[in-house]
Amino acid sequence: MMSMVQNSSSIRRLLNSKRLYRGLSSTSAGINGSSLHDNGGGSNINPHYPHMFTPLDLGPDIGSLPNRVIMGSMHTGLEGHSIPKLMLPLLNAEDDHTDLTEMACYFAERAKGGVSLMVTGGVSPNRQGWVGPFAGKLSTETERDRHKLVTDMVHSIQIPSYGANPTEPARICLQILHTGRYAYHPFAVSASSTKSPISPFPAKELSTSDVKATIRDFVNCAVLAKEAGYDGVEIMGSEGYLINQFLVSKTNQRSDEYGGENFVNRMRLAMEIVTETRKACGFGFIIIFRLRML
């Protein structure tokens, strides 16, 4: 997937490729706003990729994606940081890195290449979930407003579509990432008091009330993302991060409603985050739950 979205001409090359889609004429296959049409015969569609450039219906409340090319989340280092301004002089920082112009341009360029839906790098819902000290976070209105530049720029890009509309705006979702015991800072928390082999900092066990507060932080982050113009959120539930730490018995040794041998209890955190996010954001908002099946 990464190789498909490295520059603005990537999807254009795919659209013009006879190997992927033989039915596109040279006058209609482009990412310049023109309509895309099959030459009239379904037999011209390459059997290996028959649906790649057809719309994907996400339901009446959300609408359709113009194609099925999705760019997964990657850590780009463009998500900004959350260092308080009063600390910047102490750190000799020449730039506070809260301007997300580079992040906006990065995703707009991928949208120009024809990617219909993109997911940002991980952004924490609270300080405990930081990847590292003062990493990107979305928990305040000030942080929300910085992201509007990103969503406005992405939505300004029109993607050619085979659907009822000749073009559709590109879409973008914010990934909500709580690192749990993977955090590289002394405020790390997890399902139980354990230490990750990739971090020198032992994690403190979240109390039951802390778990409920964390759920509220996830929901707050999603609401702020919606207000910032994001089309949805991806809740990071895999790769060993916090939600995954609750799902797995090795890292979840709790005895309350969020742990134990009962898998229903261990998945309660994930279920409540998704349920409460849907309640708060409504059905016109994309919710992706990232789950690794290996």
Side-chain angles (χ1 to χ4, degrees), residues 246-259:
F246 272 80
L247 290 171
V248 178
S249 58
K250 184 176 181 179
T251 50
N252 186 342
Q253 301 152 15
R254 306 173 67 90
S255 58
D256 64 358
E257 62 194 283
Y258 293 100

Side-chain angles (χ1 to χ4, degrees), residues 111-138:
K112 290 176 183 178
V115 182
S116 66
L117 176 65
M118 296 159 286
V119 183
T120 72
V123 175
S124 176
N126 57 29
R127 290 188 180 92
Q128 293 171 321
W130 280 337
V131 174
F134 302 108
K137 176 175 68 71
L138 179 55

Side-chain angles (χ1 to χ4, degrees), residues 75 79 103 120-126 129 131 136-139 147 174-178 221 230:
H75 294 292
E79 295 83 17
M103 179 180 173
T120 72
V123 175
S124 176
N126 57 29
V131 174
K137 176 175 68 71
L138 179 55
S139 64
H147 282 266
L174 178 94
Q175 186 189 84
I176 305 177
L177 169 66
H178 192 304
C221 185
Y230 284 98

Side-chain angles (χ1 to χ4, degrees), residues 57-77:
D57 186 5
L58 299 182
D61 297 297
I62 297 175
S64 297
L65 298 179
N67 60 54
R68 304 182 184 215
V69 180
I70 297 174
M71 176 179 167
S73 175
M74 291 179 279
H75 294 292
T76 62

Side-chain angles (χ1 to χ4, degrees), residues 7-43:
N7 57 65
S8 63
S9 62
S10 54
I11 306 304
R12 183 184 297 111
R13 291 199 300 271
L14 287 175
L15 286 167
N16 286 323
S17 171
K18 292 182 180 180
R19 293 180 61 190
L20 286 176
Y21 202 93
R22 300 188 184 97
L24 288 172
S25 68
S26 60
T27 58
S28 63
I31 302 296
N32 55 8
S34 59
S35 298
L36 300 178
H37 301 285
D38 188 353
N39 279 357
S43 61

Side-chain angles (χ1 to χ4, degrees), residues 256-274:
D256 64 358
E257 62 194 283
Y258 293 100
E261 293 300 319
N262 189 336
F263 183 62
V264 172
N265 283 353
R266 297 203 307 274
M267 70 179 185
R268 193 180 306 279
L269 172 67
M271 294 294 293
E272 291 187 0
I273 288 173
V274 173

Side-chain angles (χ1 to χ4, degrees), residues 29-30 81 87-88 122-123 139 145 168 180 200 213 221 232 238 249 258 260 277 283 294:
H81 66 56
M87 292 185 60
L88 295 175
V123 175
S139 64
D145 293 343
E168 296 280 354
C221 185
S238 65
S249 58
Y258 293 100
T277 299
F283 288 97
L294 297 179

Side-chain angles (χ1 to χ4, degrees), residues 183-283:
Y184 211 83
H185 57 73
F187 309 114
V189 295
S190 186
S192 300
S193 296
T194 58
K195 180 181 175 298
S196 164
I198 65 172
S199 173
F201 302 100
K204 173 187 174 183
E205 178 177 324
L206 288 166
S207 67
T208 303
S209 61
D210 288 337
V211 173
K212 296 184 183 299
T214 300
I215 294 170
R216 292 193 295 270
D217 289 340
F218 268 86
V219 175
N220 176 62
C221 185
V223 170
L224 291 172
K226 182 178 181 180
E227 293 174 353
Y230 284 98
D231 300 286
V233 293
E234 178 178 81
I235 297 169
M236 172 54 92
S238 65
E239 315 307 327
Y241 293 111
L242 179 71
I243 295 176
N244 210 172
Q245 292 159 27
F246 272 80
L247 290 171
V248 178
S249 58
K250 184 176 181 179
T251 50
N252 186 342
Q253 301 152 15
R254 306 173 67 90
S255 58
D256 64 358
E257 62 194 283
Y258 293 100
E261 293 300 319
N262 189 336
F263 183 62
V264 172
N265 283 353
R266 297 203 307 274
M267 70 179 185
R268 193 180 306 279
L269 172 67
M271 294 294 293
E272 291 187 0
I273 288 173
V274 173
T275 299
E276 295 304 313
T277 299
R278 177 59 73 203
K279 287 180 182 178
C281 295
F283 288 97

